[in-house]
Amino acid sequence: MEPVFDSKAAPKEAVLTPMAPEIFRVEKYRKETHDTYTLELRPASGTAEHQFRAGQFNMLYKFGVGEAAISISGNPSLANPLIHTIRAVGAVTKAISKLKAGDTIGVRGPFGSCWPVQEAIGNDVLIIAGGIGLAPLRPVIYQVLAERRKYGKVFLLYGTRTPDDLLYRGELEKWRARFDMEVLATVDRASSDWHGNVGVVTTLLKKLVLDPDNTVAMVCGPEIMMRFVAMDLIKKDFGLDRIYVSMERNMKCGIGLCGHCQYGPTFICKDGPVYAYDRVIGLLARREI
Amino acid sequence: METLEPILAAHPFFTGMSPELLKLLVGCASNVKYDAGDFISREGQDASEFFIIRQGKVALELFSPTHGPITVETLEDGEVMGWSWLLPPYRSHFDARAVVLTRAIRFDGKCLRGKLEEDHHLGYEMLKRFVKIIVERLSATRLQLLDIYGTRV
Ligand SMILES: Cc1cc2nc3c(=O)[nH]c(=O)nc-3n(C[C@H](O)[C@H](O)[C@H](O)COP(=O)(O)OP(=O)(O)OC[C@H]3O[C@@H](n4cnc5c(N)ncnc54)[C@H](O)[C@@H]3O)c2cc1C
Ligand code: FES
């Protein structure tokens, strides 16, 4: 089945020299949670513009350590600064977490497909994020809210491990206070001073009245979470082509040359990371591809 | 006086249940209200009841000597709370605490068990509904156990 929307329409021309990193300088460093931080970067040359679409990623290069694929978490309508939210988990992301304002970092990109934000105009938008998965979806929220009248209902469901792991708390509060957006958060466990929801993110779906034929769901988080969410959406009569997920696999070249990110018949760096669910459903739970 | 029958009939938990069976259940049901902070049940104590939350929020908590009360799940409007009343020893596995003012319909477990034993058709209808909820909660708990946001799984 052909997808309703084509999330592959990425601005490829933005990548001029795909293998050579451009030098950026850290302008701001903000700690989001105990292991996650947001970097605001500006080109060291002061000139380059960094256009991207919601869902795309860059390869961030910590000199002397290596590269990691990191989604762009800023506002697509602002070319600068370039914003990334990063969870320190391994060699590269931990090294990047030690950068300070003024330090330099290499950036290649933007790469990959994007969320179907334009194509979803006229529909309800259901955004479902788990953990660091809110970072690649934040550009969607900015874009949808910038043209709020073009969309139907807008829902954001967000799940994390504990209340301390919620990203962008200030923005979550602001979004929740809006009358034109429904925001529900849940955590896996909490102490009794947390008055919000406790339970996995799928439990939030029960609280919504959805119109599956007129809703586009965009889901990002750990792969198991995305599978469970997709299963529940399918139970609610969502078509597979109305559910979009962002796949994460280790990357090297980021431009479809090395085969490192091959996922069945597709390369995630080129054809993904954002896919309509009908394109990846057969691949999702596979151990080796 | 407001009868509980139309409220039960409109609740998704009872969808498809015949008016005759609902009538049997109403005899075991009563309206209850808890203020924020009130305990509805305590771990290990007698649990001969279940609730349909009409409005509010309830936290299911476990007490840890080192961490204090830990909330493992919250339940809200329209959700069903409690199945320990179904099986001996009819004891609660969690503390249930109202997070905000909570209104609910309480079903007396002893009264219900009597009716379900007498009328196996009613027993089957109720069990089908509880098994569905238990399966949904089990599946959510498994996901929670995986700690999916903790490490790459
Ligand atoms: C398209 C895309 C977008 C991404 N966006 C973001 C983002 O916005 N923010 C962000 O923080 N991360 C993002 N990631 C994830 C990030 O690229 C990875 O976590 C990356 O591996 C980090 O590199 P590292 O050297 O710091 O850690 P690594 O050394 O690669 O280790 C990362 C973690 O994964 C484990 N791990 C590594 N390799 C494997 C393996 N083969 N099997 C199982 N576990 C393994 C390690 O034990 C460690 O816990 C994205 C990934 C992709 C593909
Ligand atoms: S990362 Fe090299 S082909 Fe995708």
Side-chain angles (χ1 to χ4, degrees):
Chain A
M1 184 177 36
E2 273 304 297
V4 177
F5 307 118
D6 185 4
S7 61
K8 285 175 69 180
K12 298 264 189 272
E13 66 284 359
V15 185
L16 296 175
T17 48
M19 287 310 285
E22 195 186 325
I23 310 296
F24 276 65
R25 213 171 274 289
V26 178
E27 188 174 68
K28 273 193 195 143
Y29 179 109
R30 189 172 47 257
K31 206 163 161 60
E32 299 281 357
T33 69
H34 69 105
D35 63 358
T36 304
Y37 52 97
T38 294
L39 294 182
E40 292 190 14
L41 308 173
R42 275 192 197 269
S45 66
T47 52
E49 293 237 320
H50 208 270
Q51 303 287 351
F52 73 98
R53 297 209 187 160
Q56 288 195 291
F57 67 96
N58 281 321
M59 296 299 292
L60 296 191
Y61 183 32
K62 172 71 179 81
F63 303 110
V65 184
E67 269 189 323
I70 303 292
S71 305
I72 308 169
S73 65
N75 189 336
S77 66
L78 305 174
N80 270 310
L82 177 60
I83 301 180
H84 287 286
T85 303
I86 305 162
R87 184 165 173 218
V89 288
V92 176
T93 47
K94 281 183 181 160
I96 297 176
S97 76
K98 298 200 173 79
L99 292 177
K100 297 181 296 297
D103 288 346
T104 56
I105 186 170
V107 177
R108 292 193 294 125
F111 298 126
S113 59
C114 54
W115 298 106
V117 187
Q118 282 303 318
E119 297 86 339
I121 285 174
N123 289 264
D124 294 350
V125 178
L126 172 60
I127 297 162
I128 307 180
I132 186 78
L134 184 57
L137 283 165
R138 188 168 69 162
V140 175
I141 302 171
Y142 289 143
Q143 219 174 323
V144 168
L145 293 183
E147 299 192 293
R148 182 63 191 85
R149 265 179 291 175
K150 295 189 179 169
Y151 298 88
K153 292 183 189 149
V154 178
F155 306 98
L156 168 62
L157 307 186
Y158 182 34
T160 62
R161 195 186 202 186
T162 71
D164 291 339
D165 294 306
L166 288 165
L167 291 180
Y168 315 133
R169 284 195 85 131
E171 281 182 304
L172 278 176
E173 292 295 335
K174 275 190 212 149
W175 294 330
R176 206 166 56 165
R178 293 177 67 118
F179 293 111
D180 57 359
M181 179 176 186
E182 191 164 344
V183 177
L184 296 175
T186 186
V187 299
D188 275 359
R189 64 191 73 100
S191 56
S192 55
D193 53 4
W194 164 255
H195 286 193
N197 299 305
V198 178
V200 286
V201 72
T202 45
T203 59
L204 297 177
L205 276 171
K206 287 194 295 232
K207 304 181 197 290
L208 304 182
V209 180
L210 296 167
D211 174 6
D213 293 335
N214 293 300
T215 304
V216 179
M218 305 184 207
V219 187
C220 188
E223 223 167 279
I224 295 181
M225 175 213 121
M226 294 196 289
R227 257 164 39 209
F228 273 78
V229 167
M231 261 188 313
D232 280 10
L233 291 175
I234 293 164
K235 273 191 225 154
K236 285 183 175 285
D237 292 332
F238 271 72
L240 297 185
D241 52 358
R242 288 194 161 264
I243 305 170
Y244 284 77
V245 294
S246 180
M247 303 302 306
E248 285 193 9
R249 288 289 149 103
N250 281 353
M251 302 220 172
K252 255 195 175 139
C253 70
I255 51 171
L257 291 179
C258 71
H260 209 73
C261 66
Q262 188 166 2
Y263 193 55
T266 81
F267 286 177
I268 292 185
C269 65
K270 240 174 53 165
D271 308 318
V274 177
Y275 291 91
Y277 199 60
D278 56 358
R279 290 192 174 173
V280 288
I281 187 170
L283 305 171
L284 257 163
R286 289 225 213 134
R287 278 149 223 257
E288 304 261 337
I289 297 176
Chain B
M1 201 182 72
E2 183 192 20
T3 149
L4 292 177
E5 223 171 303
I7 299 172
L8 299 190
H11 194 281
F13 181 78
F14 295 107
T15 302
M17 199 175 266
S18 70
E20 296 75 45
L21 294 185
L22 273 179
K23 231 184 213 95
L24 291 175
L25 295 175
V26 167
C28 301
S30 58
N31 254 321
V32 286
K33 186 188 109 183
Y34 298 92
D35 288 321
D38 283 358
F39 279 94
I40 300 168
S41 62
R42 302 299 295 243
E43 183 184 341
Q45 285 184 356
D46 193 37
S48 54
E49 58 200 358
F50 87 90
F51 299 86
I52 285 179
I53 302 168
R54 294 181 70 185
Q55 193 185 29
K57 180 180 271 184
V58 177
L60 301 186
E61 298 176 343
L62 279 172
F63 187 82
S64 142
T66 44
H67 294 88
I70 299 166
T71 308
V72 290
E73 188 175 11
T74 50
L75 299 170
E76 285 187 335
D77 306 11
E79 293 190 283
V80 173
M81 184 178 85
W83 54 70
S84 304
W85 66 276
L86 270 166
L87 297 166
Y90 313 119
R91 298 216 172 268
S92 202
H93 293 97
F94 298 99
D95 289 341
R97 189 178 49 83
V99 180
V100 294
L101 172 74
T102 299
R103 294 175 202 282
I105 296 175
R106 175 186 178 277
F107 288 86
D108 182 282
K110 209 165 163 203
C111 165
L112 269 180
R113 284 197 301 270
K115 298 210 175 180
L116 306 192
E117 284 294 351
E118 266 171 35
D119 185 334
H120 285 184
H121 178 49
L122 175 64
Y124 179 61
E125 285 297 320
M126 285 295 277
L127 220 55
K128 265 199 306 196
R129 287 165 173 78
F130 269 97
V131 168
K132 182 170 179 284
I133 292 176
I134 293 169
V135 167
E136 279 171 13
R137 302 255 169 97
L138 176 64
S139 160
T141 307
R142 281 179 177 152
L143 202 53
Q144 221 165 339
L145 272 176
L146 283 174
D147 193 16
I148 47 175
Y149 310 120
T151 49
R152 189 184 289 191
V153 284

